[in-house]
Amino acid sequence: MGSANTNMSLKMPEVDTSVVSRRDDIINRLRQIVPPGPLGEGVIDDPRALRAYECDGLSAYRQLPMVVVLPETTQQVSKILAYCHENGIKVVARGSGTSLSGGALPLADAVMIGLGKFNRVLEMDFDNRCVVTQPGVSNLAISHAVAHRGFYYAPDPSSQIACSIGGNVAENSGGVHCLKYGLTTNNVLGVEMVLMNGEVIRLGGKHLDAGGYDILGVVTGSEGLLGIITEVTVRILRKPETARAALIGFPQVAAAGDCVASIIGEGIIPGGMEMMDRPAIKAAEAFVHAGYPLDVEALLIVELDGPQAEVDYLIGRVQAIAERLGATHFRLSTSDAERENFWAGRKAAFPAVGRLSPDYYCMDGTIPRGRLPEVLTRIAEMSKAYNLGVANVFHAGDGNLHPLILYDANNEGELEKAEAFGSDILKLCVEVGGVLTGEHGVGVEKRDLMPTMFNETDLNQQQRVKCAFDPDGLLNPGKMFPTLHRCAELGRVHVHRGETRFPDLPRF
Amino acid sequence: MKPTSETDVLDAVVAAVADETRLEIAGNGTKRGWGHEVVASEILDLSGLSGITLYEPSELVLTAKAGTPLRAVTAALDEQHQQLAFEPPDFGPLYGAAPDAGTIGGVVGCNLAGPRRIQTGAARDHLLGFRAVSGRGELFKSGGRVVKNVTGFDLSKLIAGSFGTLAAMTEVTVKVLPQPEKIRTLLIFGAGDADAVKAMSTALQSPYEVSAAAHLPAEQAGRSSVSYVSGSGGSVTAVRVEGPGPSVEARLAGLRQQLSGYGDLEELHSSNSRTLWAELRDVAPFLSGANDMIWRLSVPPMSGAEIIADLSLPLEFRHFYDWGGGLVWLSTPAGKLNAASRLRQAVMETGGHATLVRAPDADKRETDVFQPLSSGGGALTARLKDNFDPRRVLNPGRMYRDL
């Protein structure tokens, strides 16, 4: 979110002054657990050095952490958590700090645990088609580690050069290839994690599915509220033999939407299928000169991957669909370089839009694909009403919409206006049958919007899952849930037969 | 009790919570034998909650009430050339129930997955959202109707495979996918277990997008109704390729080259392919001794054959492999429980799990059905149960005796 300064309009949990007053003791104890090592300092307490940790990718919200600790081993993580648990100290975990929803936003009274020193790929097991890695390894580094054998790790969030695999598990990260290859949750086989009380557990492994409750499944995407991941096992896939992309331009957004629906309706699942609207096309083209047509209202990038014979065959069918629906521009990549150039524009869409405006705010809702034309029309109306520009990029295959709201934080009140515009967009997504966040997470950003999608009973049941892991609510509080209820209160059963709607209902 | 609406289900659970009675949750009851015997005062039969409430083929999404017969879902999808890509098995016949009688809620509750698990996941990976009544007597929902959704904890994963012990599902929303245009299966004849696992691993490491890989030792192969398989007289390893016609042909040609060293090769076309993979998916055609105990082992793919070899099981034990070697189905004569602890120990060492999918009640009283919980995982499991069903109203004891 651009370069806006601290604006803590956001209400965070009340600072526990008794913890803050013990800061020196806490730092000393953490230094005993994690002394300086070959990888550098174990504990960071200098305010200037702490500044590097004051925000994540959602930089509108900033807060200096009380202290940062950088463990190197699972045992150290376990000791830190056990100590914090015994002493009622809150904990926030941080991977690479690329979250766009404030998932790693520090708290003034919390220990921040940075996992950057967990930076080794531990095992490449090609026969079982998996990689065991430490959580601080970047998403792309996993693919690089196995590239020599023609393998890769499929989920590819656009921050993949920097974002850590542990962070991917915490956020259940997506990317442009989710439609065909799934999200993080469909590609993680196992984790080692440390619970708030210091207990180390293993979930999953190199096998498929759980032998009991799928705890790994609920840990994935839990945004650092359930435990700290210290090892990850992911499945790897053989790289597709070939990939080709088509640039398809339409004079109306609705026709582009129909094209997406028809491709899927005819049984074709492309590796990637992205859409940009006119403002996004214009910004991207001016920035990277990808060869995008400027006379269209909507541009699709459709990438087909797989065996050569399949790609050639399906490209022909996609072309036929596009022409039938009135595409005015159709261009096929003829080389990998050209295909990558097609993507370069899309992947640079955020910074490209950033050049148009001092600040921009990236939204992340998902909608049923068919509602796209209607949603874009209503976003355009809101854009007029708020008098703020907007450019839309869209993972069209899976309905994940990223409106980029343009604003200038130096103008009084404009950040608040951008936030209000963003909230309206997300409420619209829910209204048409979609969800608040497709891949960026709830964090602090969408926390207070949760009640637009879930009622209190729904939210309480989710919080009870947290109670099973962290009954004192010490892990990453203030994220995901608008109100954290006490577990004792959530555990009470209030139901009495006399209060049911049909107390005298016969027993069927 | 056979409720016909969500409100009825809610009222039934609320009443059970208030009266401190216990409920056994069932759909059509085809898989009631999976798990320990549930001691409950009544069966909450959800098969009265039936019907597809939303199906949008171009959005790849379908919503159905939990008791909707799976065959109704499949029929609707067939009309649009779509499918549940995780290939839910029909385990009814394993338990002596009629074939093709299960419900969509049962599929999700048991987290079923067929041979395509290795490519597209299990029920857990296709469940986008659900509505359910918790053991607290509260109606709640989770997830949504879109694939890309990280809004809140992913309770869909937790509910899939919880065997009705956390909540009684009333409605599920699942992702659906196009049916492949063409299916072919490459058969390799005569490979031993260890070589077959290597052949399957080679196929799965190839760029040819194999959608299933299974191995039948000679005796199991002999039970197939596909003559190419049963008539070979020896073991059969099967590798499936699906997709558009030209792609399938090209990939088969590539696979033939890579696998020629493992034995003689043969191809099955669509109809025979479908039959063979349905048999492998449903298990019963291969392991059907009426009183045998049936185990399902999920292990790292390269470990399955090693476990079987190391156990040096007596001759009356039978097995076959799916998921490229990562899923082992094993049948043992009833009462032979002395193998159970050795088996569990061997599986545990690989990090995997063993489930006693079917056994006479007498045997199930002697051993755990689900992989015994480790210390850490076990406490978490109990706390999760406590937070969904504190009074132990729903399917008490079905997964773990004291839960």
Side-chain angles (χ1 to χ4, degrees):
Chain A
M1 199 182 193
S3 55
N5 282 322
T6 313
N7 172 309
M8 290 298 256
S9 57
L10 188 74
K11 194 170 180 308
M12 294 306 283
E14 203 174 320
V15 174
D16 185 338
T17 49
S18 76
V19 168
V20 176
S21 67
R22 283 182 284 150
R23 182 170 183 261
D24 290 346
D25 288 346
I26 293 167
I27 289 167
N28 284 338
R29 179 65 193 121
L30 291 175
R31 281 226 164 86
Q32 285 166 13
I33 298 172
V34 189
L39 296 176
E41 277 299 324
V43 175
I44 296 174
D45 63 337
D46 175 65
R48 277 165 305 172
L50 286 175
R51 200 128 308 271
Y53 296 89
E54 69 178 359
C55 70
D56 58 17
L58 184 70
S59 56
Y61 300 116
R62 290 160 195 256
Q63 168 64 55
L64 276 192
M66 179 172 69
V67 55
V68 172
V69 57
L70 304 170
E72 292 173 39
T73 66
T74 301
Q75 205 194 5
Q76 287 174 345
V77 175
S78 166
K79 282 184 179 165
I80 296 165
L81 288 181
Y83 164 71
C84 291
H85 183 242
E86 278 160 28
N87 291 279
I89 304 166
K90 295 171 193 145
V91 171
V92 178
R94 178 183 165 109
S96 302
T98 56
S99 167
L100 291 170
S101 56
L105 179 70
L107 298 170
D109 56 349
V111 170
M112 172 161 271
I113 301 186
L115 292 148
K117 289 181 181 172
F118 282 80
N119 59 2
R120 285 180 303 126
V121 172
L122 300 173
E123 187 192 355
M124 290 171 275
D125 183 347
F126 293 98
D127 284 340
N128 285 313
R129 302 175 300 285
C130 62
V131 163
V132 183
T133 177
Q134 292 189 319
V137 170
S138 77
N139 171 294
L140 195 60
I142 297 174
S143 287
H144 282 164
V146 295
H148 65 287
R149 289 274 298 265
F151 281 81
Y152 76 117
Y153 173 62
D156 58 343
S158 51
S159 57
Q160 67 180 153
I161 190 165
C163 64
S164 69
I165 188 67
N168 286 184
V169 174
E171 300 290 327
N172 189 14
S173 306
V176 298
H177 290 98
C178 291
L179 179 63
K180 188 166 175 184
Y181 299 105
L183 296 123
T184 302
T185 189
N186 312 110
N187 290 278
V188 171
L189 296 173
V191 297
E192 176 191 76
M193 75 186 276
V194 186
L195 302 181
M196 189 62 218
N197 62 8
E199 193 177 355
V200 181
I201 63 168
R202 297 195 80 89
L203 303 169
K206 293 180 176 179
H207 60 281
L208 294 170
D209 296 336
Y213 292 156
D214 187 356
I215 298 173
L216 174 62
V218 78
V219 161
T220 307
S222 61
E223 303 195 10
L225 272 73
L226 301 184
I228 293 189
I229 289 158
T230 46
E231 186 192 291
V232 184
T233 303
V234 295
R235 74 167 184 155
I236 49 170
L237 299 177
R238 184 69 186 258
K239 265 190 207 144
E241 207 174 67
T242 184
R244 281 183 90 183
L247 277 185
I248 313 173
F250 287 92
Q252 303 92 20
V253 170
D258 287 346
C259 185
V260 170
S262 298
I263 289 170
I264 290 170
E266 291 200 16
I268 302 167
I269 302 293
M273 185 147 57
E274 296 290 306
M275 190 190 293
M276 288 183 273
D277 70 356
R278 185 189 271 273
I281 301 165
K282 204 173 134 196
E285 181 59 21
F287 189 37
V288 298
H289 310 293
Y292 293 167
L294 296 171
D295 57 347
V296 297
E297 284 300 320
L299 183 68
L300 294 179
I301 306 175
V302 180
E303 179 168 292
L304 294 147
D305 61 7
Q308 181 85 45
E310 176 168 329
V311 171
D312 290 348
Y313 168 76
L314 292 179
I315 281 276
R317 286 181 52 190
V318 167
Q319 184 164 9
I321 293 167
E323 283 168 1
R324 192 176 76 221
L325 293 169
T328 51
H329 182 92
F330 189 93
R331 199 169 124 218
L332 266 183
S333 67
T334 52
S335 66
D336 263 358
E338 190 175 12
R339 181 178 63 85
E340 277 158 24
N341 201 36
F342 287 2
W343 282 109
R346 164 62 186 88
K347 287 188 173 167
F350 293 9
V353 167
R355 297 198 327 159
L356 301 180
S357 165
D359 299 285
Y360 69 92
Y361 185 22
C362 173
M363 306 309 297
D364 166 50
T366 304
I367 56 171
R369 277 176 298 265
R371 306 296 291 270
L372 180 70
E374 171 194 348
V375 167
L376 289 187
T377 303
R378 287 183 56 189
I379 290 177
E381 287 165 12
M382 291 177 198
S383 168
K384 273 198 197 120
Y386 280 102
N387 196 25
L388 291 176
V390 64
N392 289 288
V393 298
F394 186 51
H395 299 304
D398 43 37
N400 188 198
L401 183 63
H402 293 309
L404 304 169
I405 298 169
L406 312 182
Y407 73 100
D408 183 348
N410 291 322
N411 294 342
E412 180 73 27
E414 210 159 291
L415 167 64
E416 290 72 18
K417 221 161 70 165
E419 287 180 328
F421 185 2
S423 292
D424 284 352
I425 291 176
L426 296 182
K427 286 177 195 159
L428 172 62
C429 290
V430 174
E431 181 194 318
V432 301
V435 300
L436 293 172
T437 171
E439 56 185 357
H440 294 174
V442 176
V444 295
E445 187 199 24
K446 281 146 284 194
R447 184 192 74 186
D448 296 338
L449 288 174
M450 288 289 271
T452 60
M453 202 170 137
F454 298 112
N455 66 26
E456 199 184 347
T457 314
D458 304 336
L459 287 172
N460 285 350
Q461 193 52 54
Q462 290 191 35
Q463 286 193 32
R464 284 189 196 98
V465 171
K466 181 164 173 66
C467 292
F469 285 79
D470 173 26
D472 302 329
L474 293 172
L475 268 171
N476 218 10
K479 318 292 171 70
M480 195 185 282
F481 299 109
T483 326
L484 262 192
H485 297 292
R486 288 178 178 283
C487 289
E489 187 188 317
L490 288 170
R492 278 183 212 125
V493 181
H494 296 286
V495 178
H496 302 290
R497 187 175 169 80
E499 291 173 5
T500 65
R501 276 181 58 201
F502 305 107
D504 305 319
L505 189 79
R507 308 306 290 277
F508 312 109
Chain B
M1 285 187 288
K2 191 169 177 178
T4 53
S5 74
E6 196 170 70
T7 316
D8 288 350
V9 177
L10 178 60
D11 287 345
V13 179
V14 166
V17 173
D19 299 350
E20 297 185 13
T21 54
R22 297 173 157 200
L23 299 172
E24 178 173 351
I25 311 299
N28 280 331
T30 59
K31 296 179 283 293
R32 275 183 80 196
W34 190 340
H36 294 286
E37 210 176 340
V38 174
V39 181
S41 40
E42 281 182 279
I43 292 182
L44 184 61
D45 172 355
L46 297 173
S47 64
L49 266 65
S50 181
I52 294 168
T53 51
L54 176 144
Y55 176 30
E56 294 181 9
S58 70
E59 302 280 345
L60 303 176
V61 62
L62 180 144
T63 302
K65 293 181 193 170
T68 308
L70 181 60
R71 63 169 180 274
V73 173
T74 310
L77 293 172
D78 270 341
E79 277 182 30
Q80 301 292 329
H81 308 288
Q82 293 189 332
Q83 62 178 355
L84 294 173
F86 59 97
E87 279 187 295
D90 178 16
F91 285 153
L94 267 188
Y95 301 102
D100 214 14
T103 63
I104 186 74
V107 165
V108 170
C110 302
N111 188 33
L112 297 186
R116 209 183 281 108
R117 172 66 182 89
I118 49 175
Q119 191 184 40
T120 46
R124 75 185 284 277
D125 298 284
H126 296 254
L127 181 67
L128 302 178
F130 67 91
R131 296 170 65 83
V133 176
S134 72
R136 302 171 48 83
E138 292 170 346
L139 176 66
F140 70 104
K141 64 175 180 301
S142 178
R145 51 159 292 186
V146 293
V147 174
K148 237 171 165 183
N149 178 11
V150 295
T151 320
F153 291 148
D154 191 357
L155 302 187
S156 291
K157 299 290 183 293
L158 206 50
I159 215 79
S162 64
F163 288 80
T165 61
L166 298 177
M169 271 180 286
T170 55
E171 184 186 274
V172 298
T173 297
V174 289
K175 170 171 126 178
V176 301
L177 282 167
Q179 289 177 0
E181 269 175 48
K182 195 168 179 175
I183 306 170
R184 290 284 182 273
T185 302
L186 192 63
L187 303 180
I188 306 167
F189 294 118
D193 284 13
D195 279 345
V197 166
K198 280 185 205 149
M200 291 190 284
S201 182
T202 302
L204 289 165
Q205 287 183 65
S206 80
Y208 304 124
E209 294 180 12
V210 166
S211 77
H215 174 72
L216 292 164
E219 188 182 326
Q220 274 58 256
R223 295 179 176 214
S224 174
S225 69
V226 176
S227 59
Y228 288 98
V229 177
S230 53
S232 78
S235 75
V236 175
T237 313
V239 173
R240 183 174 67 184
V241 182
E242 301 171 298
S247 167
V248 167
E249 296 301 338
R251 282 143 69 202
L252 264 179
L255 279 172
R256 272 183 170 278
Q257 268 194 337
Q258 290 210 344
L259 300 177
S260 59
Y262 289 99
D264 289 339
L265 304 178
E266 180 63 76
E267 268 174 38
L268 294 184
H269 284 215
S270 291
S271 167
N272 277 330
S273 280
R274 278 181 226 283
T275 306
L276 174 63
W277 290 104
E279 288 174 346
L280 286 159
R281 179 195 70 195
D282 295 345
V283 179
F286 300 113
L287 306 177
S288 56
N291 293 312
D292 288 353
M293 301 199 289
I294 295 179
W295 292 88
R296 180 181 186 266
L297 322 183
S298 178
V299 292
M302 299 305 287
S303 304
E306 286 173 12
I307 290 174
I308 295 296
D310 290 350
L311 285 173
S312 43
L313 297 166
L315 277 178
E316 69 269 31
F317 286 49
R318 322 217 178 280
H319 69 282
F320 71 92
Y321 305 88
D322 196 352
W323 299 358
L327 181 69
V328 186
W329 287 99
L330 175 69
S331 80
T332 70
K336 295 264 182 178
L337 282 169
N338 55 346
S341 60
R342 280 199 300 146
L343 186 65
R344 281 243 157 86
Q345 181 61 32
V347 168
M348 205 182 69
E349 281 165 16
T350 73
H353 50 86
T355 308
L356 181 55
V357 167
R358 188 186 81 184
D361 283 340
D363 289 307
K364 282 195 285 192
R365 274 177 223 122
E366 303 291 313
T367 188
D368 296 307
V369 167
F370 293 87
Q371 183 80 14
L373 296 166
S374 62
S375 49
L380 250 187
T381 293
R383 293 199 296 269
L384 283 165
K385 172 78 173 172
D386 276 339
N387 277 289
F388 279 81
D389 180 19
R391 304 268 175 94
R392 307 282 195 265
V393 171
L394 307 176
N395 272 356
R398 181 158 185 187
M399 292 182 79
Y400 309 101
R401 282 193 197 85
D402 44 355
L403 292 184

